[in-house]
């Protein structure tokens, strides 16, 4: 396995081992999130255009984004818990210097609510993702 802690999710670890594309999806999803956080509005909208075409892919991406936000909250608050995305430790530590806990909590809630809306309603996925990116902090 690459340097990625499965966070105690043995089933996920076995599935990722059997299907390396899962790890590629994770890497792509986290790279996309980091790109969004560094981008202005137009860049953020363009970043989510491709994934918004596939509802299932969007939900997978949002799942990985939630793990990233959780890790960032752990690092920011110096909570003695292991992070999931250990290969992102340096980036998470750097980001933790530039974001406050309230913004992280808002990002976590917005991500959760967006995923739930996409999963449970007939929302326009692209508009939901664009709105979500506007609710993320600019770093």
């Amino acid at each position: 396995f690459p340097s990625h802690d499965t966070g105690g999710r043995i089933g996920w670890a076995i599935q990722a081992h059997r299907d390396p594309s899962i790890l590629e999806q994770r890497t792509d999803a986290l790279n996309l999130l980091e790109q969004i956080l560094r981008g202005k509005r137009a860049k953020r909208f363009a970043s989510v255009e491709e994934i918004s075409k596939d509802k299932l892919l969007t939900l997978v991406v949002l799942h990985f984004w939630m793990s990233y936000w959780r890790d960032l909250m752990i690092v920011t608050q110096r909570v003695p818990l292991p992070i999931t995305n250990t290969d992102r430790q340096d980036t998470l530590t750097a980001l933790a210097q530039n974001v406050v806990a309230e913004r992280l909590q808002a990002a976590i809630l917005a991500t959760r609510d967006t995923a739930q809306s996409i999963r449970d309603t007939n929302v326009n996925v692209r508009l939901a993702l664009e709105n979500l990116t506007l609710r993320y902090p600019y770093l």
Side-chain angles (χ1 to χ4, degrees):
F1 278 66
S3 61
H4 170 73
D5 184 350
T6 62
R9 296 172 296 166
I10 300 300
W12 188 91
I14 292 169
Q15 187 177 3
H17 182 68
R18 289 182 183 151
D19 183 0
S21 70
I22 293 172
L23 292 175
E24 292 172 27
Q25 280 184 325
R26 179 194 151 274
T27 298
D28 291 346
L30 298 184
N31 288 344
L32 179 63
L33 178 58
E34 290 173 353
Q35 175 184 323
I36 288 168
L37 295 177
R38 290 188 300 270
K40 300 293 185 215
R41 182 184 324 188
K43 178 87 166 169
R44 288 175 178 221
F45 288 179
S47 295
V48 297
E49 181 177 357
E50 191 60 36
I51 65 166
S52 70
K53 295 175 183 176
D54 183 333
K55 187 174 179 177
L56 182 58
L57 174 61
T58 298
L59 292 171
V60 169
V61 167
L62 292 176
H63 169 78
F64 290 127
W65 288 4
M66 283 294 290
S67 74
Y68 193 89
W69 289 120
R70 175 195 171 273
D71 286 350
L72 189 51
M73 182 65 85
I74 287 170
V75 173
T76 301
Q77 297 299 301
R78 296 184 177 99
V79 177
L81 292 173
I83 63 169
T84 301
N85 300 293
T86 56
D87 59 325
R88 304 287 171 141
Q89 177 73 50
D90 293 341
T91 305
L92 291 165
T93 301
L95 290 175
Q97 307 304 313
N98 298 311
V99 67
V100 295
E102 292 78 19
R103 294 286 294 166
L104 289 177
Q105 184 176 10
I108 290 168
L109 295 174
T111 305
R112 181 200 65 195
D113 293 347
T114 299
Q116 183 176 5
S117 179
I118 290 170
R119 186 176 49 251
D120 298 341
T121 68
N122 195 22
V123 68
N124 180 311
V125 176
R126 183 173 177 183
L127 290 177
L129 288 174
E130 288 176 354
N131 183 48
L132 175 62
T133 65
L134 292 176
R135 296 164 72 186
Y136 283 170
Y138 288 83
L139 304 174

